[in-house]
Amino acid sequence: MRKSELWPTLLLMLLLCGGLFYHYDQVIKAPNSTFMGSSHDGLKNYFTPWYHAKHDSSMVWFEGMNYPYGDHIVFADAQPLLSNSIRVTGLADKTMAIMNLLMLLSLIPTGWLLFRILRRWKVEVWGAALSAAAIAFLSPQLLRMNGHYALAYSFVVPLIWHLSLRFWDLPNAKRSLALASVIFIMGWLHPYYVMISAIFLSAFWLFQTVLAWKDMRFLQRVLHFGIQVILPVLAFFILLKLTDPISDRPSNCLLYT
């Protein structure tokens, strides 16, 4: 970090933390006993990660509904990455606190990533700090805290965006693989992240190709696009298919997770 960015960054963190405490002080003070969403979805989406972390015998199968068959953890919306991490660490009784705090604290890396993106575009440093805080609090993903918790991690899209810009600073296979890995991993919070990232990057590649087609050879474009977009999508859905014994799911079932 440059010295000129130190105080603006501190201001950004102060705004983000202050805003979180102002709006969500009750959750922060009692994270393990406060529901962020009062809807049926909200209750269910607390229950499924907790039950999986507390009671399930398999890392990929959810036994807390559809008795006696159960269902795949992805289709139960149990946030496999999070619930399995809680399961391994033995913190199942703190599941609600972990979920609530992670949703809220995700706003901090969101603001920082937006700040880095704006600075990369040569936005004046103080303006970048204030704008990053404002954009972070305007994220539509914050509305997912009313029940669709797996989609409330507002840092995911800015992270993909930031890594994509870093790739274009110095295109290489290592940075493409890093981007693909992040997309694949985030898919195990919610599969929508895979699809959102794939659409976002496809649009990014399309506009870059149209506006700066001389910057990279055609075969290089195909290779990097394949690594960044096609590889994580295929890897995610192949692994999902391999771990799911149900063969007659509707083709659009992911729309209802």
Side-chain angles (χ1 to χ4, degrees), residues 60-61 71-72 75 239-247 249:
V60 298
W61 203 250
D71 203 349
H72 195 283
F75 298 101
L239 184 56
L240 181 62
K241 187 68 174 178
L242 290 175
T243 56
D244 183 14
I246 298 176
S247 59
R249 292 188 187 275

Side-chain angles (χ1 to χ4, degrees), residues 146-237:
N146 66 359
H148 300 148
Y149 310 126
L151 293 172
Y153 302 112
S154 56
F155 72 92
V156 176
V157 174
L159 177 58
I160 300 301
W161 192 358
H162 177 67
L163 291 175
S164 181
L165 291 174
R166 280 180 53 83
F167 166 79
W168 285 106
D169 284 343
L170 182 62
N172 57 48
K174 182 178 179 180
R175 293 190 174 188
S176 279
L177 286 170
L179 194 49
S181 299
V182 170
I183 294 171
F184 176 78
I185 292 170
M186 291 299 101
W188 299 104
L189 286 173
H190 198 289
Y192 281 12
Y193 288 130
V194 176
M195 294 179 275
I196 291 169
S197 299
I199 293 170
F200 175 81
L201 286 177
S202 295
F204 203 111
W205 273 94
L206 174 62
F207 282 105
Q208 202 283 335
T209 300
V210 171
L211 298 174
W213 62 274
K214 292 183 179 180
D215 288 356
M216 186 180 293
R217 295 178 181 176
F218 175 75
L219 289 179
Q220 286 180 302
R221 289 184 184 279
V222 172
L223 175 62
H224 287 296
F225 179 82
I227 293 174
Q228 294 176 17
V229 179
I230 298 175
L231 177 62
V233 171
L234 285 179
F236 178 83
F237 285 103

